[in-house]
Amino acid sequence: MGRIAILGAGYVGVCTGIALSQQGHDVTLVDVVASKVAALRTGRVPFHEPGAPEALARAMADGRIRATLDARKALQGAEYVFLCVGTPRKTDGSPDLKHLRAAAQRIGRALVGRSGFLTVVVKSTVLPGTADDVVAPKLARVSGRVRGDGYEVVSNPEFLKEGSALADALQPDRIVIGAPTPDAANRIWMLYRSFTCPRVTVDCRTAEMIKYVANAFLATKVGLSNEMANLCERIGVDWYRVAEAIGHDVRIGRDFIRAGAGFGGSCLPKDLEALVRFSGKTHAPARILEETLKGNARQPLQVLRLLRAELGTLGGKRVALLGLSFKPNTDDVRETRALPIYRALRAAGAKVVCHDPLAGEAFRRLARGCVIAPTVRDALEGADAAVFQTEWAEYQAIPPSLFQGLMKTPVVIDARRTFDPDAMAGDEVRYRAIGLGTPRPPVQPPARASQRSAK
Ligand code: UDX
């Protein structure tokens, strides 16, 4: 069984660590943030990820996983070190490698005079060429040892979705290993030997590219769905009926075609921007991705258009904004579409009252001074309109009568198809949704000349 150190105890590091510990490996989670390590030591997971606290507590009780601030000690006996540090967006759109470089520096120092082989696994999302051209040279410089002499660098990108990251880590759709030699690839396949999913072995650069292209495809699918949904709404067609039908075509698939106010989160917008910039620098411009990003920036304004269609001017209107995280089942507000919606509402003079089952406090840090209602009822009370930005289960359970009972005018704008339009079809609610066109009466065939004359 492998002895593994994981540098970076965010949702990728922790969920990967739990999954590997469940395979019987010995895992040490390392982070530079003392409060995070302290939380992990007591079995608390410092972010919202369903199933992770219970799984972590079990692994800790069995002694298969531990957390520390001491990277040097964790690296001493390790055979593998996973780099799971963040690569946030720099102002120019490229990924910031400062955490990755700092981690490589630490590993390089640990390699000095060390016996035993160390496989350095780059899991953080990094542009093609980073493992070979940044991490490996840094290790060589700091350790004074050439690549292959006591250590090797491989790429093993993550495809974890927040909210189901642990499930994804335990049952991945595929595992991708990028390695410079078959030996290096085999060493890491040893760790994953009991996983039965498809396995892809390539070189590091290809593995890094696979991660970016996966996210580019997902983002483009959502972007195209949003564009078609906007068109459907204007021609009296429901995008969700269209999506359901096209989703039966296995070449298209049913996932990632839900229209909304755009894609957010820590990965899709950031990775797309990095890939666009990288493509430009490589003189192979990614025009489709450029347009996808532009469309995504415009998409939140669809909510404002629907609101204006119902309320006219928004000045002085009280609007409840429900769903602040970038998607349900997470408290993550990074790149949430709730922020541009909130800002546009405020700029239009609306009074906004926000609500989220989990992400209220995190959103307050982004939108300083925003009003966060403690309950859905408080948010809806006296509102001229309610905007649903994310489809939390708690919202899906709201009966239409509550809108009529609590709101000044029961106008509901549904950005994420939180509700079934048929359930909202009565007189209780003025319901509008992204991609939901008002069906037009079927065109009657013109009466034949004989019928006309008979009248
Ligand atoms: C994503 C990738 O899915 C994952 O493989 C990668 O490792 C990290 O980035 P995540 O950021 O957790 O995961 O979110 P994801 O579930 O992919 O959703 C991204 C955004 O797209 C969200 O804002 C979501 O609401 C939106 N989305 C998703 C849609 O608008 N429509 C859809 O049909 C699906």
Side-chain angles (χ1 to χ4, degrees), residues 54 78 87 97 123 163 167 172 177 188 216 220 244 274 277 291 321 332 337 348 365-367 376 380 429 439 452:
E54 300 80 2
T87 50
L97 299 183
K123 205 170 237 320
I177 303 292
I188 180 153
T220 308
E244 195 187 345
R277 192 175 174 278
E291 287 306 317
L321 176 56
D332 197 337
R337 303 292 88 193
R365 287 193 285 277
L366 289 183
V376 174
L380 294 177
V429 179
R452 274 203 294 268

Side-chain angles (χ1 to χ4, degrees), residues 404-418:
Q404 205 182 43
L406 289 175
M407 296 171 71
K408 191 168 155 202
T409 46
V411 170
V412 172
I413 307 297
D414 191 352
R416 289 316 312 257
R417 208 53 70 88
T418 311

Side-chain angles (χ1 to χ4, degrees), residues 4-7 16 20 80-84 121 123 156 191-192:
I4 301 168
I6 294 186
L7 305 191
T16 303
L20 289 169
Y80 300 87
V81 54
F82 278 67
L83 295 173
C84 295
V121 187
K123 205 170 237 320
N156 172 214
L191 293 181
Y192 291 114

Side-chain angles (χ1 to χ4, degrees), residues 180-454:
T181 63
D183 261 6
N186 287 340
R187 256 192 300 274
I188 180 153
W189 280 127
M190 287 284 290
L191 293 181
Y192 291 114
R193 61 173 166 249
S194 38
F195 285 82
T196 52
C197 62
R199 296 152 170 247
V200 180
T201 309
V202 288
D203 59 278
C204 290
R205 200 172 288 261
T206 307
E208 291 160 334
M209 187 64 177
I210 287 170
K211 167 65 195 247
Y212 273 94
V213 177
N215 277 353
F217 258 86
L218 293 173
T220 308
K221 248 182 130 178
V222 173
L224 180 60
S225 303
N226 286 336
E227 202 166 275
M228 290 299 103
N230 298 343
L231 173 61
C232 283
E233 189 219 314
R234 285 173 177 76
I235 60 168
V237 167
D238 181 358
W239 163 252
Y240 277 71
R241 305 299 289 271
V242 175
E244 195 187 345
I246 61 169
H248 288 301
D249 184 330
V250 290
R251 294 170 304 172
I252 295 172
R254 303 174 79 97
D255 293 328
F256 268 76
I257 51 176
R258 286 177 301 116
F263 55 80
S266 64
C267 294
L268 256 51
K270 167 178 85 84
D271 293 352
L272 221 63
E273 209 173 312
L275 189 55
V276 164
R277 192 175 174 278
F278 180 72
S279 313
K281 274 177 66 183
T282 319
H283 305 294
R287 304 254 189 256
I288 293 176
L289 301 186
E290 283 173 26
E291 287 306 317
T292 303
L293 278 173
K294 284 185 201 157
N296 201 51
R298 285 191 300 266
Q299 192 62 13
L301 299 178
Q302 296 295 327
V303 168
L304 276 283
R305 191 179 53 76
L306 293 173
L307 266 174
R308 286 200 174 95
E310 284 295 332
L311 298 182
T313 173
L314 299 178
K317 300 278 164 54
R318 183 182 158 115
V319 178
L321 176 56
L322 297 107
L324 306 172
S325 53
F326 82 93
K327 65 174 185 180
N329 301 322
T330 174
D331 57 354
D332 197 337
V333 293
R334 282 177 286 179
E335 302 277 345
T336 173
R337 303 292 88 193
L339 189 61
I341 294 172
Y342 174 82
R343 286 186 174 147
L345 284 169
R346 296 285 294 139
K351 294 179 209 144
V352 189
V353 181
C354 304
H355 178 267
D356 190 279
L358 280 182
E361 280 315 308
F363 189 74
R364 204 201 297 273
R365 287 193 285 277
L366 289 183
R368 294 204 177 274
C370 72
V371 177
I372 306 283
T375 66
V376 174
R377 295 181 77 95
D378 291 311
L380 294 177
E381 189 97 56
D384 292 283
V387 171
F388 287 86
Q389 194 273 141
T390 43
E391 68 281 31
W392 282 97
E394 178 181 342
Y395 299 156
Q396 288 170 326
I398 301 173
S401 56
L402 199 71
F403 297 122
Q404 205 182 43
L406 289 175
M407 296 171 71
K408 191 168 155 202
T409 46
V411 170
V412 172
I413 307 297
D414 191 352
R416 289 316 312 257
R417 208 53 70 88
T418 311
F419 303 101
D420 175 0
D422 291 339
M424 294 282 155
D427 298 334
E428 283 170 324
V429 179
R430 280 154 59 193
Y431 177 78
R432 294 240 186 178
I434 285 183
L436 179 65
T438 313
R440 296 174 185 189
V443 178
Q444 298 298 326
R448 283 208 302 272
S450 57
Q451 287 172 324
R452 274 203 294 268
S453 55

Side-chain angles (χ1 to χ4, degrees), residues 9-10 14 18 29-48 52-58 60-61 65-69:
V14 171
I18 293 172
L29 298 168
V30 186
D31 207 284
V32 292
V33 180
S35 59
K36 221 187 252 187
V37 171
L40 288 166
R41 278 191 172 151
T42 58
R44 277 183 298 120
V45 175
F47 47 84
H48 178 77
E54 300 80 2
L56 180 73
R58 273 198 305 276
M60 287 213 152
I65 201 165
R66 66 204 63 78
T68 179
L69 284 164

